[in-house]
Amino acid sequence: MDNQPAKPLPKTITAAPQQPAAPEPFVTASSARTQPTPPVQQRSSSAQAPAKQAPKVRYNAGEDPDYAARKGWPVKYPQPLPGSILPGKRIVAYYGNPLSKRMGALGEYPKDEMLQRLKGEVAKWQAADPSLPVQPALHLIAVVAQGEPGKSGKYRMVMPDTVVNQVYGWAKEAGALLFIDIQTGHDNIRTLLPRFEWLLKNPDVHLGIDPEFNLIASGKRPGTKIGTYDAADINYASGYLKELVRKHNLPPKVFVIHRFTRGGVTNAKNIVLRPEVQIVMHMDGWGAPWLKRDSYRDYIVAEPVQFTGFKLFYHNDTKKGDPLMTPQDLLKLNPKPIYIQYQ
């Protein structure tokens, strides 16, 4: 096993920033015809004046319900099984690793302060959308991509069971779910995922995978190139979870897939939906609010799978002076994200 995790590999949205579309010109009284207006003919009292057309609603990227409908939302998926978390609840999670203050909120603050902060975010979401109960969660990076090959030669570090169990205990203390997140580096999800059956066989433990750090195909070092998962990889992991649910008589597993580039997930239309697994395509890039909305529209809304998620970065989203998006901002998106993650 390698030593402490390497410096975190920050996520960035690599697509060139897009400029907001130019506003359409408005017709005003001052731009009316310059020719004399002909006399208005007398109309009978029974004639009705033409109805006024309602002004066209202007949406930010990711908010337009007509665009979502054209892309296939709402998605048809298998009837949720008993014990399903989604869509009956919204999950609000803190992400990170307790061995690093720079990988996310989960490790940035002491345990008690971290759980209190998470509780505050849960309360904000519950107030913003009282119709949907909010379920807290801790999202642990259990396999951390590394900038060096390490003893394994795989450019990844598997967290010791003691660390994983420590965070699992924190989750239980807070009435929260636990997600284990796998950054494969040069390893294979088919090798790494079965190593966590001892944990995933618990009903309150779920899964996340990160295409950014799946770099087997390119052979590049993590942090120098953005990786990818194909639908075949996602279907393998989903199928593994399905068998785990059946084997241990568990409620369905939530399966989060991070995405912030077009190539981050390939052949998304081939992803298989199963009653035992609830798939969340999670918008994971950082930047200004308009850029995050663009990414949500282009990579999440445009390629429907099942449920949607949205990540907020306390530091990276705001480092250029932009505000952190609020629950009210995200609830304007269409479809509304049902999994929210804070890093």
Side-chain angles (χ1 to χ4, degrees), residues 210-231:
D210 201 335
E212 179 182 2
F213 298 112
N214 185 52
L215 294 153
I216 298 173
S218 69
K220 299 294 186 179
R221 181 166 52 89
T224 65
K225 184 178 177 62
I226 296 172
T228 184
Y229 272 120
D230 187 71

Side-chain angles (χ1 to χ4, degrees), residues 69-100:
R70 290 196 303 271
K71 292 300 179 179
W73 296 95
V75 173
K76 294 181 180 179
Y77 54 84
Q79 181 69 24
L81 295 176
S84 296
I85 297 171
L86 308 177
K89 293 182 178 180
R90 174 174 283 112
I91 299 170
V92 173
Y94 262 13
Y95 170 95
N97 184 295
L99 301 184
S100 172

Side-chain angles (χ1 to χ4, degrees), residues 46-258:
S46 61
Q48 295 184 355
K52 290 185 177 179
Q53 190 173 12
K56 185 177 180 180
V57 178
R58 294 177 180 272
Y59 295 100
N60 290 316
E63 297 178 356
D64 188 345
D66 293 332
Y67 177 82
R70 290 196 303 271
K71 292 300 179 179
W73 296 95
V75 173
K76 294 181 180 179
Y77 54 84
Q79 181 69 24
L81 295 176
S84 296
I85 297 171
L86 308 177
K89 293 182 178 180
R90 174 174 283 112
I91 299 170
V92 173
Y94 262 13
Y95 170 95
N97 184 295
L99 301 184
S100 172
K101 293 182 179 296
R102 298 179 58 196
M103 295 176 72
L106 193 159
E108 181 176 355
Y109 307 103
K111 185 261 289 187
D112 290 341
E113 181 181 355
M114 180 271 294
L115 292 180
Q116 192 61 35
R117 286 174 176 266
L118 174 59
K119 185 177 179 180
E121 298 294 359
V122 166
K124 290 178 185 177
W125 276 95
Q126 195 62 77
D129 184 7
S131 68
L132 203 60
V134 180
Q135 169 64 58
L138 297 180
H139 197 116
L140 167 69
I141 312 171
V143 181
V144 185
Q146 304 287 282
E148 301 297 330
K151 293 179 182 178
S152 68
K154 299 292 187 180
Y155 291 87
R156 54 81 179 141
M157 177 182 175
V158 180
M159 289 293 101
D161 292 354
T162 52
V163 172
V164 175
N165 272 321
Q166 178 187 42
V167 178
Y168 191 24
W170 296 352
K172 286 182 174 294
E173 179 182 333
L177 306 173
L178 177 68
F179 283 80
I180 61 163
D181 201 87
I182 297 177
Q183 300 176 353
T184 52
H186 288 192
D187 212 336
N188 194 307
I189 189 66
R190 292 160 179 79
T191 302
L192 285 169
L193 185 53
R195 297 177 64 161
F196 290 95
E197 180 170 345
W198 66 273
L199 184 64
L200 287 164
K201 68 182 182 181
N202 293 292
D204 52 353
V205 179
H206 303 269
L207 178 67
I209 62 173
D210 201 335
E212 179 182 2
F213 298 112
N214 185 52
L215 294 153
I216 298 173
S218 69
K220 299 294 186 179
R221 181 166 52 89
T224 65
K225 184 178 177 62
I226 296 172
T228 184
Y229 272 120
D230 187 71
D233 303 305
I234 294 168
N235 289 339
Y236 159 76
S238 174
Y240 179 87
L241 292 175
K242 177 194 76 173
E243 294 304 323
L244 203 62
V245 166
R246 292 181 175 182
K247 177 180 177 181
H248 296 285
N249 193 28
L250 301 171
K253 292 294 184 185
V254 179
F255 180 20
V256 174
I257 300 139
H258 306 288

